[in-house]
mmCIF file of all heavy atoms in Angstrom:
data_model
loop_
_atom_site.group_PDB
_atom_site.id
_atom_site.type_symbol
_atom_site.label_atom_id
_atom_site.label_comp_id
_atom_site.label_asym_id
_atom_site.label_seq_id
_atom_site.Cartn_x
_atom_site.Cartn_y
_atom_site.Cartn_z
ATOM 1 N N ARG A 77 -7.092 27.807 -82.502
ATOM 2 C CA ARG A 77 -6.832 29.062 -83.374
ATOM 3 C C ARG A 77 -5.396 29.302 -83.527
ATOM 4 O O ARG A 77 -4.952 29.666 -84.672
ATOM 5 C CB ARG A 77 -7.484 30.215 -82.731
ATOM 6 C CG ARG A 77 -7.480 31.527 -83.477
ATOM 7 C CD ARG A 77 -8.343 32.598 -82.970
ATOM 8 N NE ARG A 77 -7.751 33.887 -83.334
ATOM 9 C CZ ARG A 77 -7.061 34.685 -82.602
ATOM 10 N NH1 ARG A 77 -6.947 34.452 -81.326
ATOM 11 N NH2 ARG A 77 -6.563 35.749 -83.087
ATOM 12 N N ARG A 131 0.024 17.687 -87.502
ATOM 13 C CA ARG A 131 0.342 18.667 -88.546
ATOM 14 C C ARG A 131 1.733 19.284 -88.381
ATOM 15 O O ARG A 131 2.395 19.606 -89.335
ATOM 16 C CB ARG A 131 -0.636 19.839 -88.380
ATOM 17 C CG ARG A 131 -2.080 19.519 -88.851
ATOM 18 C CD ARG A 131 -2.924 20.662 -88.823
ATOM 19 N NE ARG A 131 -4.269 20.316 -89.087
ATOM 20 C CZ ARG A 131 -5.204 21.295 -89.192
ATOM 21 N NH1 ARG A 131 -4.921 22.609 -89.112
ATOM 22 N NH2 ARG A 131 -6.566 20.961 -89.381
ATOM 23 N N GLY A 189 7.948 18.000 -75.616
ATOM 24 C CA GLY A 189 6.478 17.970 -75.586
ATOM 25 C C GLY A 189 5.949 16.596 -75.305
ATOM 26 O O GLY A 189 5.024 16.421 -74.537
#
Side-chain angles (χ1 to χ4, degrees):
R77 184 171 153 250
R131 288 188 191 184

